[in-house]
Amino acid sequence: MQYFPAFMKLEGGSCLIVGGGEAALAKLRLLEKGTGSITLVAPRILPAIEEVVRCGRVIWEARPFTGEDVRDRRLVFAATGRGEVDERVSVSAQAAGVPVNVVDGPAASSFITPAIVDRDPILIGVSSAGTAPILARSIRAQLEALLPAELGRLARFADSFRGAVKAVIPSFIGRRRFWEDFFASPVARQVLAGQEQQAREAMLSRINRGQGSTAQGTSVEGSVALVGAGPGDPELLTLKAQRLLQGADLIVYDRLVNPAILEHARRDAERLFVGKTPAAHHKTGSHQESQGEIQQILLQAVRNGRRVVRLKGGDPFVFGRGGEELSYLEAAGVTVEVVPGITAATGCAASGRIPLTQRGLAQSVTFVTGQGEQAASEPDWQSLARLGGTLCFYMGVATADRIAEKLMVAGMNGATPVTVVEKGTLPEERCLPGRLDGLPALIAAEAVEAPALIVIGEVAGTQNINRLPSFAAAV
């Protein structure tokens, strides 16, 4: 992040604009909406600026700029369009520790002005860090169309009840739940429609109900959602997953969850990593949480009134142990929401252009875990070898030699195509084609690391065809 987004308080401060042309007029119109005083320094000004000066909000000093002009300013704008003058303004302001913006000069600026959506007191700033201001304005226009014109009225309405809500709902979590429910309620829609008197009566009723629900120490009800994070690409999150991440108090996440996905969570949400490396699943004395410990963490958080998102790579119910967590929590009386995610087989195969089923090549697809080492968890290798469809092995990098050996012993042809998709859907994705009898050597030679999916079957042979002829798009 090249620029840190912040909102400057203008009330009680003085801003300086240097220049009297169109650029200065644009900055003047921007600052006019604030509550601070404005001084404009320029030998000559446009007639449109003269009209603003006559209204009394702006002090015009008809002279050239001097270094003393920046003293005690809240913000400074250099808008003369003359490089040597704007440079002097920038140097003087930065030497005095005053934030300065040079119009069309981001290199000489200590801050930049974003495209602004103004629903006072709600403000949204959209910035491209000076690289594409037209794009930023286009995004602002889209936001303007989405947001109600009376959004500021709703914010002021809520502010007028903050003290009353705090007085009757002492719990921070309880107050946040109250406001989350309020902004999605018919009362909020009444405010936006201009029916403020009816909204005030309804709001008092909601506050009284909130007081009753928290009386005598009654705790706020918590919840758990088992959410699939998909194979890695944040854009593959479902809309419901994003909504739940925005409302969560606690996010309990696994090793396979891309950190970029956590950026979709509310910034003040607690994040708790409970990931297990593949080799640590059955080790005792590991510093990593066991499955039982994870389940206890979820239950305790719910009993403390927290909204919990249990975030899992892929889909919670496909080799994610989501079923175990669901059974444990429901047995304890907890209501659990399950949000599916794109599992690795479908996500990685799509990213690698591998059709899991295709007429004439594969009529079925089977998901298999590559971690089974005990007799009870061994797959039926004979059946897998006879299926004739597509096999997708999860977590099979460390056991690829055994997978290949068992399948060939069971009768699968060693020339059967395979493709290893490493870090599928991520920028560093690699698709490595080969044969079943060369699978262990392929993984060793390419130093494949988890997470990786192993696709075995005739469809894996289409990977080379689909990836190579990029020239076709240009024909």
Side-chain angles (χ1 to χ4, degrees), residues 14 17 37-41 53 56-61 73:
S14 172
I17 300 174
S37 64
I38 305 168
T39 298
L40 187 141
V41 173
V53 171
R57 278 287 319 277
V58 179
I59 300 170
W60 172 36
E61 298 187 7
R73 303 293 184 183

Side-chain angles (χ1 to χ4, degrees), residues 9 15 17 34 131 191 201 224 248 263 285 320 342 389 393 407 430 458 474:
K9 182 178 180 180
C15 297
I17 300 174
T131 60
V191 178
E201 294 172 3
V224 173
E263 293 299 315
I342 295 177
F393 279 87
L407 287 174
R430 292 195 297 166
E458 293 303 318

